[in-house]
Amino acid sequence: MTILLYDLVGSDPSRPFSPHCWKARMALAHKGLAFDALPTRFTEVAGVEGGGGRTVPVIRDGDAVVQDSFAIAEYLDDTYPERPPLFEGQSGRALARFVESWTQRTLHPVIVRATILDIHAAQDDENKAFFRAKREKAFGKPLEEVQDGRTEEKRLAASKSLEPLRATLRNQPFLAGERPMFADYIVFSGFQWLRVLSTFQLLDDGDPIADWFERCLDLHGGLGRQVPAAS
């Protein structure tokens, strides 16, 4: 039975953008598992699989329903151990947890400050209103004031904050070493979020991070490239 993935989209259902959903997409592809993506807008998320305040991604695999990208990756490794692993044992899971924490506290805020109006613009009218109300309540200010990261000074500062990632990728092709694993997909999905939604260029040409991102776009038959970059 094909796995069902509830995947966040805006007004164009062919352009999934959520970094968390991209983690699940890449994990499923890494395991070689067929899946159908069900486009899901912000206002539809709470009702996914019976509701209960769900967030996406969510997968349904037969009778199993799993929410949260990291939990999905763990489920896939536990349920399909004969397929390529997403983690190298328990220590690999623990290290990937660190990568996820770093990504959400370092990379994601950079992207939000540079692109939150692009995220808003990608929604239909109903979801624009929903997104604006939720995010402005969370940030305590208008979206126009949240997006303050596009000056050259702030771009350079944001890029500098990624130096630990850059230094690692100067010495190896993937974060996990010679081949990608879930830790790579965690970070890749943040940059894919930026690529799909915005023309803002965070990285310079020739940056080791940019080169690694291009390699990740080519993985699994070019899954990442199936959604064109914003133009």
Side-chain angles (χ1 to χ4, degrees):
M1 181 180 295
T2 300
I3 295 171
L4 180 64
L5 167 67
Y6 291 87
D7 203 2
L8 189 65
V9 300
S11 59
D12 184 346
S14 70
R15 297 185 63 78
F17 62 85
S18 163
H20 307 295
C21 293
W22 270 103
K23 283 182 265 181
R25 276 178 165 260
M26 297 297 281
L28 287 161
H30 181 99
K31 300 294 280 189
L33 294 165
F35 67 94
D36 288 332
L38 182 62
T40 308
R41 294 180 172 85
F42 280 116
T43 52
E44 299 167 334
V45 169
V48 165
E49 289 291 339
R54 291 195 183 278
T55 59
V56 289
V58 171
I59 64 167
R60 171 172 283 281
D61 183 19
D63 291 333
V65 176
V66 187
Q67 174 181 315
D68 177 78
S69 58
F70 206 100
I72 289 169
E74 291 182 307
Y75 167 83
L76 294 177
D77 256 12
D78 292 342
T79 306
Y80 301 98
E82 74 284 0
R83 293 175 178 267
L86 288 159
F87 308 99
E88 290 287 359
Q90 289 302 315
S91 62
R93 295 189 189 203
L95 285 170
R97 283 286 187 193
F98 166 77
V99 173
E100 182 166 72
S101 294
W102 178 87
T103 301
Q104 292 185 357
R105 288 162 176 78
T106 302
L107 178 60
H108 286 193
V110 166
I111 294 171
V112 167
R113 287 194 294 270
T115 67
I116 198 164
L117 291 175
D118 294 315
I119 303 171
H120 178 262
Q123 313 309 313
D124 59 26
D125 288 344
E126 178 187 8
N127 282 275
K128 281 180 180 176
F130 178 88
F131 179 81
R132 180 177 286 275
K134 291 275 287 188
R135 295 305 185 271
E136 290 187 346
K137 181 179 179 180
F139 285 106
K141 55 185 175 182
L143 298 184
E144 289 75 10
E145 294 181 18
V146 176
Q147 184 164 303
D148 65 355
R150 291 203 180 193
T151 67
E152 183 62 7
E153 179 182 10
K154 290 190 175 181
R155 185 191 75 84
L156 291 173
S159 180
K160 186 176 181 180
S161 74
L162 304 178
E163 188 57 33
L165 175 63
R166 186 175 292 113
T168 301
L169 293 170
R170 285 194 183 101
N171 296 310
Q172 58 199 53
F174 295 100
L175 291 179
E178 292 301 311
R179 66 185 190 278
M181 300 190 80
F182 192 62
D184 286 275
Y185 304 143
I186 291 169
V187 184
F188 161 82
S189 295
F191 287 103
Q192 179 72 335
W193 179 28
L194 175 61
R195 173 183 172 272
V196 169
L197 280 174
S198 179
T199 59
F200 175 71
Q201 296 297 311
L202 174 60
L203 303 173
D204 295 324
D205 291 340
D207 189 316
I209 302 173
D211 294 341
W212 160 85
F213 182 62
E214 290 295 317
R215 288 193 292 276
C216 290
L217 284 170
D218 289 332
L219 293 171
H220 313 309
L223 178 63
R225 296 191 192 278
Q226 290 178 12
V227 180
S231 59

